Amino acid sequence: YPGIANDHPEFSDYSAECGLYLDARSKEENQEWEAAFDAYQSYVQSYPSGIMFDEVNEHLANVMVSQAEQLAEKHEWSGAADLCQEAVKIAPENIAVLGQFGWYLSRSNRYAEAIKIYEQLSKLEPKLAKWPYMAGYQYYDQKQYKEEAVFQD
């Protein structure tokens, strides 16, 4: 369709938007976390009303969790938790992001915060026993056995 971009300039915008999205996805698939993060951030800044904005935010949050996993591999639990906290701001109901956030909070001995995250996850997935178990484990880890029993009821 030669000349379509001249007749409909919005198509060139969509083309650029899709190109940026595909570039970010390619970097994510290749596990180039920093480059993917930068590309998704560029999309968010360039297209705040973009057609893929919500999907891009989910991917951006997942990339941030992947970056947090790199910190966790070095036992930098607090840094991993902080990075996940930023990811939660972007995708507040992303189960995978919240789950990793809770785990890193727990590993960095931030039990009260971890309990809140696991309680939130219990509400998002009420039939899954994992989240009440994880919340109860935070009490157990602190040797607060009575609280653990109350939470599990």
Side-chain angles (χ1 to χ4, degrees):
Y1 299 97
I4 196 166
N6 292 334
D7 295 338
H8 301 280
E10 67 274 11
F11 288 151
S12 64
D13 269 355
Y14 290 134
S15 177
E17 179 181 349
C18 290
L20 186 54
Y21 170 77
L22 291 173
D23 180 52
R25 287 283 295 142
S26 173
K27 289 176 168 101
E28 181 182 0
E29 289 172 5
N30 291 324
Q31 298 182 357
E32 300 169 22
W33 306 127
E34 287 185 39
F37 176 84
D38 291 342
Y40 284 128
Q41 281 288 87
S42 180
Y43 179 98
V44 168
Q45 292 167 356
S46 300
Y47 302 101
S49 300
I51 57 174
M52 293 172 275
F53 188 81
D54 291 338
E55 184 177 342
V56 165
N57 274 334
E58 290 292 321
H59 283 286
L60 180 58
N62 290 331
V63 165
M64 293 171 79
V65 169
S66 295
Q67 291 175 313
E69 288 171 1
Q70 291 178 323
L71 294 173
E73 288 172 6
K74 298 182 248 177
H75 300 275
E76 295 177 18
W77 305 113
S78 188
D82 292 344
L83 193 51
C84 281
Q85 185 172 24
E86 294 303 311
V88 168
K89 290 177 185 175
I90 295 168
E93 293 190 3
N94 183 314
I95 301 296
V97 171
L98 287 165
Q100 286 301 110
F101 182 37
W103 175 247
Y104 296 145
L105 287 169
S106 175
R107 298 296 294 171
S108 58
N109 300 323
R110 293 160 61 182
Y111 299 114
E113 293 172 80
I115 289 167
K116 287 180 184 176
I117 294 300
Y118 291 131
E119 288 173 345
Q120 181 181 351
L121 283 162
S122 293
K123 290 175 185 168
L124 290 171
E125 294 186 318
K127 294 183 179 183
L128 193 62
K130 176 181 180 178
W131 305 127
Y133 170 82
M134 293 301 290
Y137 190 80
Q138 305 315 300
Y139 292 112
Y140 174 82
D141 223 23
Q142 298 175 83
K143 300 183 181 5
Q144 295 178 356
Y145 306 117
K146 186 174 181 178
E147 288 83 351
E148 174 194 9
V150 169
F151 184 81
Q152 295 297 328
D153 281 344

